[in-house]
Amino acid sequence: GAVVSQHPSRVICKSGTSVKIECRSLDFQATTMFWYRQFPKKSLMLMATSNEGSKATYEQGVEKDKFLINHASLTLSTLTVTSAHPEDSSFYICSARVASGAYNEQFFGPGTRLTVL
Amino acid sequence: GNSVTQMEGPVTLSEEAFLTINCTYTATGYPSLFWYVQYPGEGLQLLLKATKADDKGSNKGFEATYRKETTSFHLEKGSVQVSDSAVYFCALRPSGGSNYKLTFGKGTLLTVNP
């Protein structure tokens, strides 16, 4: 089946530093990847849609200069949290879309736990 | 806009009990409907789906039927196991065009005790 990986699985950083999270589709090419943020005991909040070779589309209320997304290849998208602050601490999950003919599914990565001290 | 409402948790059951997690949605047209499961510390896994009215999705003993008339997609399992303990998310994807964003419910935590 389609496998999506994320790296790192957890990261702790100091306030003011930047953190990069990678999302990879391991056995398929994904023209579209999504980044979600999950708060404790809450649902997933879509942050942005990332298309290979073009700028990401951010959801309303998400700061694009704060959460930099790059989708440089068909198997890799990165989310960089710039100048992280404690309120950015969260669980970040990516997904990759597979679309072929009538088949259209998203496969999710295992998530990255970010803790900002 | 589109929205998904699922029953508030947490839900605590004994092993072999019957499970129902209610899910209703608001959307135009005929969205595709999904149930995802998230085990502790992990990402989401697709549990089952249905793409048109009256379709029944099933997997691992779980079932859900797409009811257009009641705009519902309730998740059921006849006999739960301890290993089913997880958070369950109902989600929809709008029909047609290039809109493939998923809208999720808030999730329902299920705990199954031995």
Side-chain angles (χ1 to χ4, degrees):
Chain A
V3 179
V4 176
S5 70
Q6 281 184 242
H7 179 78
S9 58
R10 57 180 65 229
V11 56
I12 300 173
C13 69
K14 294 182 178 180
S15 186
T17 61
S18 294
V19 174
K20 180 186 284 187
I21 302 170
E22 294 185 347
C23 176
R24 293 182 185 272
S25 56
L26 297 185
D27 49 3
F28 64 99
Q29 293 183 330
T31 54
T32 306
M33 291 184 172
F34 302 87
W35 286 96
Y36 296 85
R37 183 173 178 178
Q38 186 178 28
F39 295 93
K41 300 183 180 181
K42 298 279 188 180
S43 186
L44 280 73
M45 181 191 79
L46 179 64
M47 299 174 65
T49 302
S50 167
N51 291 297
E52 186 267 338
S54 64
K55 290 184 178 180
T57 302
Y58 290 82
E59 295 299 302
Q60 191 173 11
V62 178
E63 300 175 62
K64 62 181 180 181
D65 295 329
K66 172 77 170 176
F67 299 99
L68 300 179
I69 291 172
N70 182 278
H71 194 160
S73 77
L74 288 172
T75 59
L76 174 64
S77 176
T78 61
L79 168 68
T80 301
V81 183
T82 62
S83 187
H85 292 282
E87 58 265 30
D88 298 324
S89 298
S90 194
F91 194 54
Y92 292 88
I93 302 176
C94 73
S95 70
R97 173 177 173 250
V98 176
S100 177
Y103 186 77
N104 182 359
E105 293 295 346
Q106 282 187 39
F107 294 90
F108 287 80
T112 296
R113 172 76 58 194
L114 170 63
T115 302
V116 184
L117 302 177
Chain B
N2 301 322
S3 67
V4 175
T5 302
Q6 60 183 104
M7 62 186 287
E8 295 279 335
V11 174
T12 302
L13 296 173
S14 298
E15 206 164 22
E16 299 184 3
F18 184 85
L19 169 70
T20 299
I21 301 178
N22 291 337
C23 172
T24 57
Y25 68 90
T26 301
T28 55
Y30 293 85
S32 294
L33 302 175
F34 305 83
W35 276 101
Y36 285 88
V37 58
Q38 184 179 32
Y39 297 101
E42 299 183 10
L44 273 68
Q45 300 175 27
L46 178 64
L47 181 60
L48 53 84
K49 67 176 182 180
T51 58
K52 60 183 188 294
D54 299 326
D55 265 3
K56 177 185 285 188
S58 61
N59 185 27
K60 299 181 181 180
F62 291 89
E63 293 183 340
T65 301
Y66 189 143
R67 301 289 188 197
K68 180 67 174 175
E69 63 276 15
T70 54
T71 62
S72 65
F73 192 55
H74 304 322
L75 182 69
E76 296 182 337
K77 185 174 185 181
S79 176
V80 294
Q81 305 301 311
V82 172
S83 57
D84 294 326
S85 298
V87 180
Y88 292 82
F89 291 94
C90 185
L92 72 81
R93 185 181 68 220
S95 59
S98 60
N99 192 342
Y100 34 78
K101 294 179 184 178
L102 290 169
T103 298
F104 287 90
K106 291 187 176 181
T108 302
L109 173 63
L110 169 67
T111 301
V112 180
N113 295 317

